[in-house]
Amino acid sequence: MAMIALVPSLLVVACKSEKKAAVVSSEKYTCVMHPQIVKDAPGTCPICGMELVLVRDTGNKDEVILTESQIQLGNIKTVVVAGTAFHTSKILNGRVVVNPDLTEVISSRYAGRIEKLFVKETGRAVSKGQPLFQIYSETLQTLQQDYILQVKQVAAFPNEKIYQTLREAARNKLRLFGYSNSQIENLAKSGISSSSVTVRATASGIVNEINVSEGQYVTEGSQVLRLENLSQLWVEADVYPDEVGSIKLGTVVKIAVNGFAESEQTAKIDFISPQIDPSSQILKVRASIQSQGKLQPGMQVTVLLPKAKISNAISLPLDAVIRDQMGAHVWVKTGKGRFISKMVATGDEDDRQIIITSGLENVREVVVSGAYLLSSQYILKKGADPMAGHDMSKM
């Protein structure tokens, strides 16, 4: 009989132990930065090594509750909802191209043979007055000899104006062939003609093309080098036909070069293509920008075309709004460490901000940093999409 009396008490103890074990086993620990890591006991995250935190599923079933350390580690930040002025912009794709107005073409002013190239590769920077090539020309030597002769004639007959006139004519011919005043003066002093002449750069720039090689014969007017001045460049942007109406000459746009945030600058549209490209059905518009010593032709840019100004609009950073096939939603703060997902309707946006047209009535604080982390936490804890309970038809 004594043994039988012990059985119920043992069963009660066993049940209590099982309940306690069940309570313990229900506790889950996760990583703030990697919510996919879930363990039944405390420890460290196998990915980043951070201490795992206890998951507490309390409060409203639609709420996500975070500890102070989770909020700090997850960089959860909020802002107070308020209306502000919002400038809407249209984002255009563009590219940096060479400004042909600053292109300098170095041509041969006389027929002859290229004896020496002082610049033999493209991409090299040259300065105004720097030697570019040396050319042999019998025509030029004849002009030099004629000028030397007229200088001697003037020296021999200083009172004869005819010789002075002939000397000036010979001097002008040399100028037409690219001789500088200093070269002409040196020629008059030395009295020695040369069949070769060194041609110098008439402007500073980057060598873009070299069309001759040493020993090659060229004719008068042959293009030898092309110099590009990259101090000022063009930005060409693509515009669709339905956007042309919002663009006119003088429209101020903001230009951001991909990868060079510090090079952002404003410019005015100074050219609108008169016809649409039949293959792409787009129109090109152009603006001039300063290189600032960093920009190069071929770089991709983003052009922000102003559209309208909206006063007293509620706008949020783009990362604050989570959009998927269900719609758009944001996370709002309902209390200390408590956050809930809220469906919103969106309007115009630019490269940084987006307008919220409805859904934030009676909301004080909205999460602007860490919204995706909150969604991950919700899915981890609730096992459902935070937008599943929203009525999309009312937005």
Side-chain angles (χ1 to χ4, degrees):
M1 294 296 294
M3 292 180 63
I4 294 174
L6 291 173
V7 172
S9 60
L10 289 173
L11 290 173
V12 171
V13 172
C15 290
K16 289 183 178 179
S17 299
E18 289 177 1
K19 289 181 180 179
K20 184 177 182 181
V23 172
V24 173
S25 63
S26 66
E27 292 184 343
K28 301 292 183 183
Y29 295 81
T30 185
C31 175
V32 175
M33 303 305 296
H34 303 92
Q36 70 271 27
I37 303 300
V38 181
K39 292 190 176 182
D40 296 329
T44 58
C45 175
I47 298 176
C48 64
M50 294 177 60
E51 289 291 333
L52 300 181
V53 297
L54 178 63
V55 177
R56 292 184 173 88
D57 190 9
T58 59
N60 188 310
K61 66 175 183 177
D62 294 326
E63 282 185 333
V64 171
I65 302 176
L66 300 179
T67 64
E68 190 64 31
S69 61
Q70 287 178 310
I71 292 175
Q72 293 178 357
L73 292 172
N75 195 32
I76 307 296
K77 296 179 181 179
T78 62
V79 296
V80 176
V81 175
T84 59
F86 183 83
H87 298 267
T88 62
S89 301
K90 174 68 177 179
I91 300 177
L92 306 178
N93 295 320
R95 66 211 63 83
V96 179
V97 298
V98 170
N99 182 350
D101 291 341
L102 302 180
T103 297
E104 189 75 17
V105 177
I106 309 298
S107 301
S108 176
R109 299 196 180 191
Y110 25 77
R113 182 182 69 246
I114 303 296
E115 290 191 330
K116 186 175 182 61
L117 281 173
F118 296 104
V119 180
K120 298 183 179 180
E121 57 184 348
T122 59
R124 186 175 293 277
V126 298
S127 303
K128 184 177 181 179
Q130 179 177 331
L132 296 179
F133 61 93
Q134 189 179 71
I135 186 171
Y136 166 83
S137 173
E138 294 180 356
T139 302
L140 183 60
Q141 187 175 25
T142 301
L143 291 175
Q144 294 177 42
Q145 291 172 346
D146 181 46
Y147 177 70
I148 293 172
L149 175 61
Q150 300 307 324
V151 169
K152 290 179 179 180
Q153 292 279 39
V154 171
F157 306 98
N159 296 325
E160 296 291 338
K161 292 185 177 180
I162 183 62
Y163 294 121
Q164 295 179 12
T165 303
L166 292 174
R167 181 191 62 183
E168 290 304 313
R171 179 195 291 268
N172 290 333
K173 286 182 180 179
L174 288 173
R175 284 183 181 142
L176 290 174
F177 277 83
Y179 255 59
S180 64
N181 289 332
S182 60
Q183 287 176 310
I184 294 174
E185 290 175 3
N186 291 333
L187 179 61
K189 291 178 182 179
S190 66
I192 301 174
S193 64
S194 173
S195 58
S196 298
V197 64
T198 299
V199 178
R200 301 177 181 273
T202 55
S204 300
I206 306 297
V207 178
N208 180 261
E209 289 181 13
I210 301 178
N211 300 309
V212 298
S213 57
E214 290 182 351
Q216 179 178 337
Y217 279 87
V218 295
T219 59
E220 182 179 347
S222 297
Q223 180 176 314
V224 179
L225 297 168
R226 179 186 292 271
L227 301 179
E228 302 289 2
N229 188 332
L230 303 184
S231 61
Q232 187 184 73
L233 299 166
W234 281 353
V235 167
E236 287 186 348
D238 301 328
V239 179
Y240 289 97
D242 60 342
E243 299 168 342
V244 176
S246 61
I247 303 176
K248 60 181 180 180
L249 294 178
T251 299
V252 178
V253 295
K254 184 181 293 184
I255 298 172
V257 182
N258 300 345
F260 292 86
E262 69 280 3
S263 298
E264 184 177 293
Q265 55 186 289
T266 57
K268 292 183 179 180
I269 298 295
D270 56 22
F271 175 79
I272 301 175
S273 178
Q275 67 180 63
I276 295 174
D277 187 334
S279 60
S280 61
Q281 291 298 301
I282 60 175
L283 197 71
K284 284 184 171 52
V285 297
R286 189 179 67 216
S288 298
I289 60 172
Q290 299 301 316
S291 172
Q292 301 175 345
K294 299 177 181 179
L295 308 184
Q296 297 288 335
M299 287 182 170
Q300 298 299 307
V301 301
T302 299
V303 179
L304 297 180
L305 177 68
K307 291 180 63 179
K309 179 180 179 180
I310 303 175
S311 59
N312 198 30
I314 297 176
S315 63
L316 296 175
L318 290 178
D319 290 341
V321 181
I322 299 177
R323 290 175 281 190
D324 56 23
Q325 70 276 10
M326 301 290 290
H329 75 282
V330 299
W331 285 92
V332 301
K333 185 177 180 179
T334 57
K336 184 176 181 180
R338 294 174 178 268
F339 305 90
I340 190 171
S341 172
K342 194 167 183 60
M343 185 77 180
V344 295
T346 60
D348 290 327
E349 64 181 272
D350 59 16
D351 61 324
R352 297 175 183 174
Q353 301 281 113
I354 183 171
I355 288 181
I356 306 300
T357 57
S358 65
L360 294 183
E361 297 79 7
N362 302 320
V363 171
R364 175 174 170 76
E365 289 186 68
V366 178
V367 175
V368 294
S369 174
Y372 285 92
L373 176 63
L374 285 170
S375 292
S376 299
Q377 286 288 92
Y378 185 95
I379 294 172
L380 169 68
K381 295 177 180 181
K382 313 295 183 180
D385 189 329
M387 298 184 67
H390 294 293
D391 186 358
M392 314 299 171
S393 62
K394 295 182 179 181
M395 301 308 297

